[in-house]
Coordinates of all heavy atoms in Angstrom, one line a residue:
Y1 N 191.3 -27.1 -37.6 CA 192.0 -27.6 -38.9 C 193.5 -27.9 -38.5 O 194.1 -27.1 -37.9 CB 191.9 -26.6 -40.0 CG 192.7 -26.9 -41.2 CD1 192.2 -27.9 -42.1 CD2 193.9 -26.3 -41.5 CE1 193.0 -28.2 -43.2 CE2 194.7 -26.6 -42.6 CZ 194.2 -27.6 -43.5 OH 194.9 -27.9 -44.6
E2 N 194.0 -29.0 -38.9 CA 195.4 -29.4 -38.6 C 196.0 -29.8 -39.9 O 195.4 -30.5 -40.8 CB 195.5 -30.5 -37.6 CG 195.1 -30.1 -36.2 CD 195.4 -31.1 -35.1 OE1 196.6 -31.5 -35.1 OE2 194.5 -31.5 -34.4
L3 N 197.3 -29.5 -40.0 CA 198.1 -29.9 -41.2 C 199.6 -30.1 -40.8 O 200.2 -29.4 -40.1 CB 198.1 -28.7 -42.2 CG 199.0 -28.9 -43.5 CD1 198.4 -30.1 -44.3 CD2 199.0 -27.6 -44.3
S4 N 200.1 -31.3 -41.2 CA 201.5 -31.6 -41.0 C 202.2 -31.6 -42.4 O 201.6 -32.2 -43.3 CB 201.6 -33.0 -40.4 OG 201.1 -33.0 -39.1
F5 N 203.3 -31.0 -42.5 CA 204.0 -30.9 -43.7 C 205.5 -30.8 -43.6 O 206.0 -30.5 -42.4 CB 203.5 -29.7 -44.5 CG 203.7 -28.4 -43.8 CD1 204.7 -27.5 -44.1 CD2 202.8 -28.0 -42.8 CE1 204.9 -26.3 -43.5 CE2 202.9 -26.8 -42.2 CZ 204.0 -25.9 -42.5
L6 N 206.3 -31.1 -44.6 CA 207.7 -31.1 -44.6 C 208.3 -31.9 -43.5 O 209.3 -31.5 -42.9 CB 208.2 -29.6 -44.5 CG 207.9 -28.7 -45.7 CD1 208.4 -27.3 -45.4 CD2 208.4 -29.2 -47.0
K7 N 207.7 -33.0 -43.1 CA 208.1 -34.0 -42.2 C 208.1 -33.5 -40.7 O 207.7 -34.2 -39.8 CB 209.5 -34.5 -42.5 CG 209.6 -35.3 -43.8 CD 211.0 -35.8 -44.0 CE 211.1 -36.6 -45.3 NZ 212.4 -37.2 -45.6
D8 N 208.6 -32.3 -40.4 CA 208.7 -31.9 -39.1 C 208.0 -30.6 -38.7 O 208.3 -29.9 -37.8 CB 210.2 -31.7 -38.7 CG 211.0 -30.9 -39.7 OD1 210.4 -30.4 -40.6 OD2 212.2 -30.8 -39.5
Y9 N 207.0 -30.2 -39.6 CA 206.2 -29.0 -39.3 C 204.8 -29.3 -39.1 O 204.2 -30.3 -39.7 CB 206.3 -28.0 -40.5 CG 207.6 -27.3 -40.6 CD1 208.7 -27.9 -41.2 CD2 207.8 -26.0 -40.1 CE1 209.9 -27.2 -41.4 CE2 209.0 -25.3 -40.3 CZ 210.0 -25.9 -40.9 OH 211.2 -25.3 -41.0
H10 N 204.1 -28.6 -38.2 CA 202.8 -28.8 -37.8 C 202.0 -27.5 -37.6 O 202.5 -26.6 -37.0 CB 202.7 -29.6 -36.5 CG 201.3 -29.9 -36.0 ND1 200.8 -29.5 -34.9 CD2 200.3 -30.7 -36.6 CE1 199.6 -29.9 -34.7 NE2 199.2 -30.6 -35.8
L11 N 200.8 -27.4 -38.2 CA 200.0 -26.2 -38.2 C 198.6 -26.6 -37.6 O 198.0 -27.6 -38.0 CB 199.8 -25.6 -39.6 CG 198.8 -24.4 -39.7 CD1 199.4 -23.2 -39.0 CD2 198.6 -24.1 -41.2
K12 N 198.1 -25.8 -36.7 CA 196.8 -26.1 -36.1 C 196.0 -24.7 -36.0 O 196.6 -23.8 -35.5 CB 196.9 -26.7 -34.7 CG 195.6 -27.1 -34.1 CD 195.8 -27.8 -32.7 CE 194.5 -28.1 -32.1 NZ 194.7 -28.8 -30.7
L13 N 194.8 -24.7 -36.4 CA 194.0 -23.6 -36.4 C 192.6 -23.9 -35.8 O 192.0 -24.9 -36.2 CB 193.8 -23.0 -37.8 CG 193.0 -21.7 -37.9 CD1 193.7 -20.5 -37.2 CD2 192.7 -21.3 -39.4
E14 N 192.1 -23.2 -34.8 CA 190.9 -23.4 -34.1 C 190.1 -22.2 -33.9 O 190.6 -21.1 -33.6 CB 191.1 -24.1 -32.7 CG 191.3 -25.6 -32.8 CD 191.2 -26.2 -31.4 OE1 191.2 -25.4 -30.4 OE2 191.3 -27.4 -31.3
A15 N 188.8 -22.3 -34.1 CA 187.8 -21.2 -33.8 C 186.8 -21.9 -32.8 O 186.4 -23.0 -32.9 CB 187.1 -20.7 -35.0
Y16 N 186.5 -21.1 -31.8 CA 185.6 -21.7 -30.7 C 184.6 -20.6 -30.2 O 184.8 -19.4 -30.3 CB 186.4 -22.2 -29.6 CG 187.2 -21.1 -28.8 CD1 186.6 -20.4 -27.7 CD2 188.5 -20.7 -29.2 CE1 187.3 -19.4 -27.1 CE2 189.2 -19.7 -28.6 CZ 188.6 -19.1 -27.5 OH 189.3 -18.1 -26.9
Y17 N 183.5 -21.2 -29.7 CA 182.5 -20.3 -29.0 C 182.0 -21.1 -27.8 O 181.7 -22.3 -27.8 CB 181.3 -20.0 -29.9 CG 180.2 -19.2 -29.2 CD1 180.4 -17.8 -29.0 CD2 179.1 -19.8 -28.7 CE1 179.4 -17.1 -28.4 CE2 178.1 -19.1 -28.1 CZ 178.3 -17.7 -27.9 OH 177.3 -17.0 -27.2
Q18 N 181.9 -20.4 -26.6 CA 181.4 -21.0 -25.4 C 180.4 -20.1 -24.8 O 180.6 -18.9 -24.6 CB 182.6 -21.2 -24.4 CG 182.1 -21.8 -23.1 CD 183.2 -21.8 -22.0 OE1 184.0 -20.9 -22.0 NE2 183.3 -22.9 -21.2
Y19 N 179.2 -20.7 -24.5 CA 178.2 -20.0 -23.8 C 178.0 -20.6 -22.4 O 177.9 -21.8 -22.2 CB 176.8 -20.0 -24.5 CG 175.7 -19.2 -23.8 CD1 175.7 -17.8 -23.9 CD2 174.7 -19.9 -23.1 CE1 174.7 -17.1 -23.3 CE2 173.7 -19.2 -22.5 CZ 173.7 -17.8 -22.6 OH 172.7 -17.1 -21.9
I20 N 177.9 -19.7 -21.4 CA 177.9 -20.2 -20.0 C 176.6 -19.6 -19.4 O 176.3 -18.4 -19.5 CB 179.1 -19.7 -19.2 CG1 180.4 -20.1 -19.8 CG2 179.0 -20.2 -17.7 CD1 181.6 -19.5 -19.2
D21 N 175.8 -20.5 -18.6 CA 174.7 -20.0 -17.9 C 174.7 -20.6 -16.5 O 175.5 -21.5 -16.2 CB 173.4 -20.2 -18.7 CG 173.1 -21.6 -18.9 OD1 173.9 -22.5 -18.6 OD2 172.0 -21.9 -19.4
H22 N 173.7 -20.2 -15.7 CA 173.6 -20.7 -14.3 C 174.9 -20.3 -13.5 O 175.2 -21.0 -12.5 CB 173.4 -22.2 -14.2 CG 171.9 -22.6 -14.5 ND1 171.4 -22.3 -15.7 CD2 171.0 -23.2 -13.8 CE1 170.1 -22.7 -15.8 NE2 169.9 -23.3 -14.6
A23 N 175.6 -19.2 -13.9 CA 176.7 -18.8 -13.1 C 176.3 -18.1 -11.8 O 175.3 -17.3 -11.9 CB 177.6 -17.9 -14.0
P24 N 176.9 -18.3 -10.7 CA 176.5 -17.7 -9.5 C 176.8 -16.1 -9.5 O 177.9 -15.7 -9.8 CB 177.5 -18.3 -8.4 CG 177.9 -19.6 -9.0 CD 178.0 -19.3 -10.5
V25 N 175.7 -15.4 -9.2 CA 175.8 -13.9 -9.1 C 175.0 -13.6 -7.8 O 174.4 -14.4 -7.2 CB 175.1 -13.2 -10.3 CG1 175.9 -13.5 -11.6 CG2 173.7 -13.6 -10.5
E26 N 175.2 -12.3 -7.4 CA 174.5 -11.9 -6.2 C 173.0 -11.7 -6.4 O 172.6 -11.3 -7.5 CB 175.1 -10.6 -5.6 CG 176.5 -10.8 -5.1 CD 177.1 -9.5 -4.5 OE1 176.9 -8.4 -5.1 OE2 177.8 -9.6 -3.5
S27 N 172.2 -12.0 -5.4 CA 170.8 -11.8 -5.5 C 170.4 -10.4 -5.6 O 169.4 -10.0 -6.2 CB 170.1 -12.5 -4.3 OG 170.6 -12.0 -3.1
Q28 N 171.1 -9.5 -4.9 CA 170.9 -8.0 -5.1 C 171.6 -7.6 -6.4 O 172.5 -8.2 -6.8 CB 171.4 -7.2 -3.9 CG 172.9 -7.2 -3.7 CD 173.4 -8.4 -2.8 OE1 172.7 -9.4 -2.7 NE2 174.5 -8.1 -2.1
V29 N 171.2 -6.4 -6.9 CA 171.7 -5.9 -8.2 C 173.2 -5.5 -8.0 O 173.5 -4.7 -7.2 CB 170.9 -4.7 -8.7 CG1 171.5 -4.1 -9.9 CG2 169.5 -5.2 -8.9
S30 N 174.1 -6.2 -8.7 CA 175.5 -5.8 -8.7 C 176.2 -6.4 -9.9 O 175.6 -7.2 -10.7 CB 176.1 -6.4 -7.4 OG 176.4 -7.8 -7.5
S31 N 177.5 -6.1 -10.1 CA 178.2 -6.5 -11.2 C 179.0 -7.8 -10.9 O 179.7 -8.4 -11.7 CB 179.3 -5.5 -11.6 OG 180.2 -5.3 -10.6
F32 N 178.8 -8.3 -9.7 CA 179.6 -9.5 -9.3 C 179.2 -10.8 -10.0 O 178.0 -11.0 -10.3 CB 179.4 -9.8 -7.8 CG 180.0 -11.1 -7.3 CD1 181.4 -11.1 -7.0 CD2 179.3 -12.3 -7.2 CE1 182.0 -12.3 -6.6 CE2 179.9 -13.5 -6.8 CZ 181.2 -13.5 -6.5
S33 N 180.2 -11.6 -10.4 CA 179.9 -12.9 -11.0 C 181.1 -13.8 -10.6 O 182.2 -13.4 -10.6 CB 179.8 -12.9 -12.5 OG 179.7 -14.2 -13.0
M34 N 180.7 -15.1 -10.2 CA 181.8 -16.0 -9.9 C 182.6 -16.4 -11.1 O 183.7 -17.0 -10.9 CB 181.1 -17.3 -9.3 CG 182.1 -18.3 -8.6 SD 182.9 -17.5 -7.2 CE 181.5 -17.5 -6.0
L35 N 182.2 -16.0 -12.3 CA 183.1 -16.3 -13.5 C 184.4 -15.5 -13.4 O 185.3 -15.8 -14.1 CB 182.3 -15.9 -14.7 CG 181.0 -16.7 -15.0 CD1 180.4 -16.2 -16.3 CD2 181.4 -18.2 -15.1
N36 N 184.5 -14.5 -12.5 CA 185.7 -13.7 -12.4 C 186.6 -14.3 -11.2 O 187.7 -13.7 -11.0 CB 185.4 -12.2 -12.1 CG 184.8 -11.6 -13.3 OD1 185.2 -11.7 -14.5 ND2 183.6 -10.9 -13.1
A37 N 186.1 -15.3 -10.6 CA 186.9 -15.9 -9.5 C 188.2 -16.4 -10.0 O 188.3 -17.0 -11.0 CB 186.1 -17.0 -8.8
G38 N 189.3 -16.2 -9.2 CA 190.6 -16.6 -9.6 C 191.5 -15.5 -10.2 O 192.7 -15.7 -10.3
A39 N 190.9 -14.4 -10.5 CA 191.7 -13.3 -11.0 C 192.5 -12.5 -10.0 O 193.5 -11.9 -10.2 CB 190.8 -12.3 -11.8
D40 N 192.0 -12.6 -8.7 CA 192.6 -11.9 -7.6 C 193.4 -12.9 -6.8 O 193.3 -14.1 -7.0 CB 191.6 -11.2 -6.7 CG 190.9 -10.1 -7.5 OD1 191.5 -9.4 -8.3 OD2 189.7 -9.9 -7.2

């Protein structure tokens, strides 16, 4: 939702949902996921 008012004011509101699948994980049982890559 977006709203412009008083000539020079702007408001924007967004709600979002994202579902990810086929992410690379280890074949053996572990907590690893490539979705965490880039944090280190």
Side-chain angles (χ1 to χ4, degrees):
Y1 175 77
E2 290 191 56
L3 175 66
S4 295
F5 58 100
L6 298 177
K7 294 183 179 180
D8 50 4
Y9 286 82
H10 179 243
L11 174 68
K12 182 178 180 181
L13 184 64
E14 273 190 356
Y16 64 90
Y17 177 80
Q18 178 189 37
Y19 181 77
I20 304 168
D21 64 351
H22 283 59
V25 297
E26 290 184 321
S27 56
Q28 67 270 25
V29 175
S30 78
S31 65
F32 174 83
S33 173
M34 194 62 75
L35 295 180
N36 294 311
D40 296 325

